[in-house]
């Protein structure tokens, strides 16, 4: 039987530590603030944004939402980002994805100033991550790394297989795991014989978005499983990418869905807002 990695509880502990840091900033007259931009009316995004606002409230971070019409022009979206870049009361800017297809999301991410890039999506953050400099790391990969650290799972020399190569999960995870001295393999939809890779993996991190894709016959005994996927099964139940019930019997550690990576992602957003605020007030805080 595997150890179940309790992301919910760990995230709660992190939020409570961040509240202490947030209170200290407030004692110095600094109130951390997150601005969230949402374009259009995506139901899933509404739930994610609501959870982020609840977490901000718990930690003591001020939260402001900007709801933009689905038909907004790119230039108007960029204008809002520029306004928030220049607003000294705003410490972090988050553009909730997805946004409507007529808009260029990469151009929008690029417009966010580095110091307020709490999602770690700007070219500066991504570039710094690639060369191993301290930076804003996107929240899901950062949450996964915190889980390894908290459960003393050492990646040094381990074969880590990442399923999925998206800009928000798979790609930053490559760098995060490399920094921990893992040997990293990345699989995607064009990978041949994916099972050959998963069967020899010491650690599998799955972020592909397919319910119960990773089955027990695809993994070796004592594998560590991190399930990033959030999917609905045929009965509408929330499930990950991993067939939890059967894979758990072979794994040494495994994350559940829900209650695994999801809460950690939001806790890491809070972490990044506090980090951004401290960075912006570095000189004042040194006094
Ligand atoms: P994307 O759709 O952007 O990327 C999916 C990746 O999976 C792509 O790289 C794709 O390959 C690969 N893929 C798809 N099908 C297969 C297959 N059959 N075999 C191998 N690889 C495949 O998804 P995201 O990265 O945004 O999200 C992935 C999952 O994680 C989703 O379920 C999402 O809801 C969840 N998620 C959860 C978060 C959390 O906080 N827990 C945060 C973010 C996402 P290719 O590049 O070739 O198309």
């Amino acid at each position: 039987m595997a150890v179940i990695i309790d992301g919910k509880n760990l995230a709660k502990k992190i939020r409570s530590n961040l509240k202490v840091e947030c209170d200290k900033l407030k004692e110095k007259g600094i109130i951390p603030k997150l601005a969230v931009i949402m374009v259009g009316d995506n139901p899933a995004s509404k739930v994610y944004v609501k959870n982020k606002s609840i977490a901000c409230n718990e930690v003591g971070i001020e939260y402001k939402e900007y709801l933009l019409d689905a038909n907004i022009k790119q230039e108007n979206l960029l204008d809002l980002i520029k306004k928030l870049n220049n607003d000294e009361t705003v410490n972090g800017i988050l553009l909730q994805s997805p946004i409507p297809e007529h808009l260029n999301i990469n151009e929008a991410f690029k417009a966010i100033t580095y110091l307020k890039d709490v999602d770690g999506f700007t070219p500066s953050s991504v570039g710094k991550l690639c060369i191993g400099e301290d930076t804003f790391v996107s929240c899901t990969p950062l949450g996964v790394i915190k889980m390894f650290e908290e459960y003393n799972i050492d990646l040094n020399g381990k074969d880590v297989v990442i399923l999925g190569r998206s800009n928000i999960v798979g790609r930053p995870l490559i760098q995060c795991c490399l920094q921990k001295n893992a040997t990293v393999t990345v699989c995607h939809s064009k990978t041949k014989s994916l099972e050959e890779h998963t069967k020899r993996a010491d650690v599998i991190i799955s972020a592909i978005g397919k319910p119960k894709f990773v089955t027990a016959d695809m993994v070796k005994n004592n594998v560590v499983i991190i399930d990033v996927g959030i999917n609905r099964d045929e009965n509408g139940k929330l499930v990950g990418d991993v067939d939890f019930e059967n894979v758990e019997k072979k794994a040494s550690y495994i994350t559940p869905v829900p209650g695994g990576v999801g809460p950690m992602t939001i806790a890491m957003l809070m972490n990044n807002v506090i980090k951004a605020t401290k960075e912006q007030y570095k000189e004042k805080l040194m006094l």
Side-chain angles (χ1 to χ4, degrees):
M1 291 288 262
V3 173
I4 312 289
I5 299 181
D6 187 347
K8 197 174 167 190
N9 211 24
L10 180 53
K12 194 173 160 196
K13 189 173 102 183
I14 292 169
R15 288 196 306 272
S16 134
N17 290 341
L18 288 169
K19 183 171 179 358
V20 175
E21 288 195 48
C22 194
D23 288 346
K24 280 188 195 151
L25 288 168
K26 286 181 179 170
E27 277 166 22
K28 299 196 169 178
I30 300 165
I31 303 168
K33 181 171 171 183
L34 172 67
V36 171
I37 306 170
M38 210 166 83
V39 189
D41 207 17
N42 183 305
S45 293
K46 275 189 183 167
V47 176
Y48 293 142
V49 160
K50 175 90 185 144
N51 289 338
K52 287 166 188 174
S53 79
I54 292 169
C56 278
N57 194 32
E58 200 183 318
V59 173
I61 294 169
E62 228 180 84
Y63 175 90
K64 172 104 200 252
E65 215 167 271
Y66 295 82
L67 298 176
L68 305 181
D69 190 273
N71 298 317
I72 192 171
K73 289 190 181 138
Q74 179 87 11
E75 65 202 64
N76 298 121
L77 174 60
L78 295 182
D79 282 347
L80 173 60
I81 292 172
K82 274 181 214 149
K83 194 181 113 195
L84 296 172
N85 282 343
N86 294 325
D87 183 340
E88 284 186 6
T89 69
V90 171
N91 307 105
I93 303 170
L94 182 147
L95 172 62
Q96 182 66 43
S97 67
I99 62 175
E101 280 186 0
H102 70 279
L103 299 168
N104 183 332
I105 196 159
N106 284 337
E107 286 306 314
F109 284 142
K110 273 186 211 161
I112 296 173
T113 188
Y114 166 71
L115 276 180
K116 300 187 182 184
D117 180 23
V118 288
D119 246 344
F121 292 160
T122 65
S124 300
S125 300
V126 174
K128 282 175 172 234
L129 179 65
C130 285
I131 58 169
E133 280 188 9
D134 179 52
T135 187
F136 296 104
V137 178
S138 67
C139 302
T140 302
L142 188 57
V144 170
I145 294 299
K146 290 272 179 208
M147 284 174 147
F148 289 136
E149 289 173 355
E150 188 70 19
Y151 280 79
N152 294 318
I153 298 168
D154 186 4
L155 297 190
N156 200 337
K158 299 275 166 59
D159 272 322
V160 174
V161 172
I162 299 169
L163 305 181
R165 56 174 167 179
S166 72
N167 287 342
I168 64 168
V169 189
R171 280 173 207 259
L173 265 171
I174 302 169
Q175 298 302 332
C176 293
C177 294
L178 274 180
Q179 279 176 20
K180 295 279 183 188
N181 295 323
T183 302
V184 183
T185 305
V186 189
C187 299
H188 45 78
S189 68
K190 307 290 184 289
T191 299
K192 287 180 194 156
S193 316
L194 184 134
E195 286 187 33
E196 279 176 22
H197 299 289
T198 56
K199 273 181 180 162
R200 61 162 175 75
D202 300 312
V203 178
I204 298 173
I205 309 172
S206 184
I208 59 176
K210 300 241 183 301
K212 300 186 183 175
F213 180 89
V214 179
T215 50
D217 57 332
M218 290 169 69
V219 307
K220 72 176 185 188
N221 282 328
N222 292 324
V223 64
V224 174
I225 299 276
I226 306 291
D227 191 352
V228 178
I230 302 177
N231 316 292
R232 297 266 170 203
D233 71 4
E234 60 282 2
N235 304 314
K237 191 177 155 222
L238 212 57
V239 295
D241 288 352
V242 177
D243 178 6
F244 182 91
E245 204 186 327
N246 294 307
V247 173
E248 192 239 337
K249 292 174 189 145
K250 285 179 92 175
S252 54
Y253 292 86
I254 190 165
T255 61
V257 177
V261 178
M264 289 299 290
T265 297
I266 296 182
M268 289 304 104
L269 173 65
M270 302 301 111
N271 175 80
N272 284 353
V273 175
I274 299 291
K275 179 183 167 82
T277 309
K278 283 183 177 168
E279 200 61 39
Q280 286 155 40
Y281 285 97
K282 201 159 56 184
E283 280 164 24
K284 187 172 175 182
L285 289 169
M286 275 195 296
L287 293 174

